[in-house]
Structures are given as structure tokens and as C-alpha cells.
């Protein structure tokens, strides 16, 4: 038995039980991650994975995929690069065909003008039948060429349409696997749903914070949607910088965010939410149109704690109810009191 085989078997026996213990789905990517972990081939990977386990007690799906993408394979990035390259090639081919066809069309137009000019001489000058037939033959020949050229372009455009359809499907698949919100670069709703589902199923202690930007519609109405986007990005950045001890921020949807706080009671999570509220309150964002600094940006918070037997929906519903209460009581506050 070779040393490589013995080593692989030993790593298999270590990796699989660890995956089961930490509620990790038995996918090829996850197995590759845990095989590398038990093999201790990448110390930085082991350190990051251990930190997640220490904070959460298990490995949430979003963290698992991020570690895989960072240390084992950057498949999503590779797929996106391949898609971009394919699109560039496609555009160049169609552009080239269109340029050629336009050039051929222009030349044909010039030939027609020249031929008609020559044919007009029939009425004023004694032009032989051979010359007339020569002009006609040239027109017929050139018309065949232009017909061939436009037919080729139509074929290219048809092929391009089919290719674009395929590329759109591929892009949809890549985006489906994406963990991060494209605007803010923090985890997206898909990552949040997967993580919360896994943590609740494993009955892990955690608290959930939901926050919603106050009077967000007024920013869009008064300053424009680009400014509204800047507000969302600014708050996401502030949340990201504030996260510690395994706390993870997600864009929940629109102007609403969520934070999963592992192994912390409602009281501690509420204190953390209060610190976030104060940090957001200090934000000042520049309106690029007027160069004016816009302050008084606030958010309302609802905090709930996982109870034995909770479903993700139940946990979210309690936090959302408290967030609504915070809005009703005047905004810019954390509930429960």
C-alpha cells in the first residue's frame, strides 16, 4: 500500500466525522475543504476555520464556501472571467462582421452610382451594347457579393443571439452561487438564509439583529437613487468594520440589514446593536451633486434571541416585530428596551 493511499485514507477517516459533527453537507467542495484542514496543508485556512468553529460551534454554509473559494479554488471568479472573455470575443466577432458588411455596402453603393452614371451616357452618347452588358454584369456580380456579405452577417447575428442566451444562463448559475451582495460586498440574503437555517437546525445559541434605515425613501426623493445607494454602502461598511467575535453582517434586502451574533445573550446583542445605532448616527455622507455633507442618518433595530425549538422564520419574525415597534416609537432606537 503506497504512502499516498495511506495518507488519503487517514485524512478521509478524520475529515468525514468532523464534517458530520459540524453540520457540513457532504459535497465535493466541502470534502476538499475539510481534507485540506485535517491535512494541515494550509495553516491560514486552519486558523480561520478554527476561529469560525470557536465562535459558532459549527461551520455555517457561507463561511464554508468563502473558505473554499479563498483557499481551495476561486471557481466563481474563474467562471466570471471566462464569461467576460467569451462575451468580449463574441462582441469583437460581430463588430468585425458588421464593419466588413458596412464597408461592402458602401462600396456597392458607390458602384451603383458609378454604373447609373455610365448607363445615363446611353441616352447622350453612342455606347455599345457590349459596354452596357459589361456594366450590368458587374452590377450582378457585385450584388451577389453584397448578398453574400449580408447573409454572413445575419448568420453571425443569429449565432451571437444563441451564444448570448447560453452566456446568460451561465451567468445566472454563477450569480446563484454568489455569497456576496454586489452593491455592498457584504454577505447577501441567500447566505443569510443558509447560515440561519443551519444554525437553527443545530440548535446553536445565537441572537439576531435586524436593522432598517430610517426615512430611506426621502434620501432617494431628495437626493436621487445614487445617493441612496451611497447611504446603503456607507452603513454596510460601518457594520462590517464593527463586526467582531464571529458576528456576521448580511444585506437582508433593500435598506434592511441583518447580523447573526453567535453565542451571545439578548442583553449582549442588544448592547452591540446600541453601539451600531450610535455609530450610524455619526455618519455623514457627501452628496456628489451639491458637494453637501448629509448627516442625521439613523436606523431602527430589532433584536431577538434563539429559543430552543425555534425555526429561522420564528426568530426573524420576533426581530422584525421589534424592529417595527422601534419604528412606531419614533425610530432611531433599539428594541426591546
Amino acid at each position: 500500500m503506497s504512502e499516498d493511499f495511506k495518507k488519503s485514507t487517514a485524512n478521509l477517516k478524520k475529515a468525514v466525522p468532523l464534517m458530520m459533527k459540524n453540520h457540513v453537507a457532504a459535497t465535493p467542495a466541502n470534502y476538499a475543504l475539510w481534507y485540506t484542514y485535517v491535512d494541515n496543508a494550509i495553516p491560514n485556512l486552519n486558523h480561520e476555520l478554527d476561529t469560525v468553529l470557536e465562535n459558532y460551534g459549527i461551520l455555517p454554509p457561507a463561511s464554508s464556501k468563502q473558505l473554499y473559494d479563498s483557499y481551495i479554488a476561486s471557481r466563481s471568479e474563474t467562471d466570471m472571467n471566462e464569461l467576460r472573455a467569451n462575451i468580449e470575443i463574441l462582441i469583437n466577432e460581430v463588430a468585425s462582421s458588421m464593419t466588413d458588411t458596412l464597408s461592402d455596402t458602401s462600396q456597392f453603393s458607390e458602384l451603383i452610382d458609378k454604373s447609373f452614371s455610365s448607363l445615363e451616357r446611353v441616352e447622350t452618347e453612342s455606347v455599345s451594347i457590349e459596354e452596357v452588358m459589361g456594366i450590368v454584369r458587374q452590377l450582378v456580380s457585385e450584388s451577389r457579393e453584397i448578398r453574400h456579405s449580408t447573409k454572413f452577417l445575419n448568420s453571425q447575428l443569429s449565432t451571437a443571439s444563441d451564444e448570448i442566451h447560453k452566456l446568460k444562463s451561465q451567468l445566472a448559475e454563477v450569480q446563484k452561487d454568489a455569497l456576496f451582495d454586489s452593491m455592498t460586498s457584504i454577505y447577501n440574503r441567500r447566505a443569510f438564509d443558509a447560515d440561519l437555517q443551519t444554525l437553527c437546525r443545530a440548535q446553536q445559541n445565537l441572537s439576531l439583529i435586524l436593522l432598517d434605515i430610517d426615512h430611506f425613501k426621502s434620501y432617494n426623493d431628495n437626493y436621487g437613487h445614487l445617493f441612496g445607494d451611497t447611504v446603503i454602502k456607507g452603513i454596510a461598511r460601518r457594520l462590517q468594520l464593527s463586526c467582531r467575535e464571529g458576528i456576521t453582517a448580511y444585506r437582508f434586502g433593500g435598506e434592511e440589514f441583518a447580523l447573526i451574533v453567535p453565542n451571545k445573550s439578548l442583553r449582549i446583542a442588544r448592547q452591540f446593536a446600541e453601539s451600531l445605532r450610535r455609530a450610524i448616527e455619526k455618519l455623514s455622507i457627501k452628496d456628489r451633486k451639491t458637494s453637501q455633507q448629509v448627516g442625521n442618518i439613523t436606523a431602527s433595530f430589532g433584536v431577538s434571541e434563539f429559543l430552543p425549538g425555534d425555526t429561522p422564520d420564528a426568530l426573524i419574525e420576533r426581530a422584525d416585530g421589534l424592529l417595527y415597534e422601534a419604528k412606531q416609537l419614533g425610530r432611531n432606537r433599539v428594541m426591546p428596551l
Side-chain angles (χ1 to χ4, degrees):
M1 186 182 294
S2 70
E3 288 301 315
D4 285 345
F5 184 78
K6 287 180 182 177
K7 183 180 179 182
S8 298
T9 304
N11 285 342
L12 173 68
K13 289 179 179 177
K14 293 177 189 174
V16 173
L18 281 174
M19 289 171 68
M20 293 174 66
K21 176 185 175 183
N22 291 291
H23 297 259
V24 177
T27 65
N30 285 338
Y31 176 69
L33 176 69
W34 282 89
Y35 182 97
T36 308
Y37 174 79
V38 299
D39 195 44
N40 201 24
I42 308 174
N44 286 343
L45 163 64
N46 284 43
H47 173 71
E48 285 196 35
L49 201 153
D50 286 338
T51 301
V52 175
L53 292 178
E54 184 181 341
N55 288 318
Y56 279 95
I58 62 173
L59 186 65
S63 298
S64 181
K65 190 172 188 308
Q66 185 187 13
L67 288 170
Y68 175 80
D69 287 344
S70 298
Y71 290 101
I72 311 300
S74 299
R75 190 62 247 170
S76 294
E77 184 179 345
T78 302
D79 286 347
M80 288 300 292
N81 288 337
E82 287 178 358
L83 283 170
R84 288 192 192 99
N86 288 338
I87 289 169
E88 282 180 14
I89 291 168
L90 187 64
I91 289 170
N92 287 336
E93 285 180 353
V94 173
S96 177
S97 295
M98 289 187 74
T99 301
D100 291 343
T101 302
L102 288 171
S103 175
D104 290 344
T105 305
S106 177
Q107 290 173 12
F108 184 60
S109 177
E110 290 175 8
L111 175 69
I112 288 175
D113 289 341
K114 185 179 176 182
S115 299
F116 282 161
S117 176
S118 298
L119 288 171
E120 284 172 1
R121 288 167 44 219
V122 173
E123 295 181 358
T124 58
E125 302 174 25
S126 57
V127 178
S128 69
I129 190 66
E130 285 80 11
E131 286 181 90
V132 173
M133 290 305 295
I135 293 169
V136 172
R137 276 195 293 269
Q138 189 175 8
L139 275 170
V140 170
S141 173
E142 291 294 335
S143 67
R144 286 195 188 117
E145 287 296 319
I146 192 66
R147 195 160 58 242
H148 172 75
S149 180
T150 53
K151 186 177 180 181
F152 179 72
L153 176 61
N154 286 335
S155 172
Q156 286 284 87
L157 290 173
S158 177
T159 302
S161 177
D162 293 340
E163 280 297 311
I164 287 168
H165 182 72
K166 283 195 288 186
L167 289 170
K168 281 175 68 177
S169 298
Q170 290 176 31
L171 185 60
E173 285 301 311
V174 171
Q175 289 176 333
K176 196 198 306 179
D177 290 336
L179 284 173
F180 298 97
D181 176 61
S182 59
M183 181 192 294
T184 62
S185 297
I186 63 174
Y187 283 122
N188 59 19
R189 177 62 185 269
R190 181 173 177 268
F192 170 80
D193 288 342
D195 283 357
L196 193 64
Q197 179 72 43
T198 301
L199 292 164
C200 287
R201 192 186 299 123
Q203 300 286 292
Q204 294 295 306
N205 293 326
L206 65 96
S207 290
L208 173 66
I209 300 172
L210 291 183
L211 65 129
D212 186 88
I213 304 171
D214 294 329
H215 303 294
F216 182 73
K217 186 176 181 297
S218 67
Y219 295 122
N220 285 334
D221 292 343
N222 297 330
Y223 302 101
H225 287 276
L226 287 178
F227 181 81
D229 290 349
T230 305
V231 172
I232 288 174
K233 291 175 188 176
I235 289 181
R237 178 70 176 154
R238 188 58 57 96
L239 295 179
Q240 208 167 23
L241 291 173
S242 301
C243 287
R244 59 185 184 275
E245 297 179 0
I247 297 173
T248 309
Y250 308 81
R251 188 175 180 197
F252 193 70
E255 65 272 20
E256 197 168 4
F257 297 86
L259 295 102
I260 294 178
V261 185
N263 293 315
K264 294 290 186 289
S265 66
L266 179 65
R267 181 178 65 84
I268 300 298
R270 196 206 169 283
Q271 288 175 358
F272 178 68
E274 179 61 29
S275 71
L276 288 176
R277 186 194 67 77
R278 290 196 299 268
I280 291 170
E281 202 174 30
K282 293 174 184 174
L283 272 178
S284 177
I285 294 175
K286 186 176 182 179
D287 178 15
R288 292 181 181 176
K289 289 181 183 176
T290 63
S291 296
Q292 174 190 355
Q293 288 294 135
V294 180
N296 298 319
I297 296 168
T298 63
S300 300
F301 295 74
V303 187
S304 61
E305 184 178 15
F306 178 80
L307 301 175
D310 258 348
T311 63
D313 287 346
L315 190 60
I316 292 169
E317 190 174 339
R318 287 204 303 278
D320 196 48
L322 289 161
L323 170 58
Y324 178 76
E325 194 174 338
K327 294 277 189 184
Q328 293 295 103
L329 292 172
R331 297 180 169 82
N332 191 25
R333 65 191 64 220
V334 178
M335 293 298 292
L337 294 173

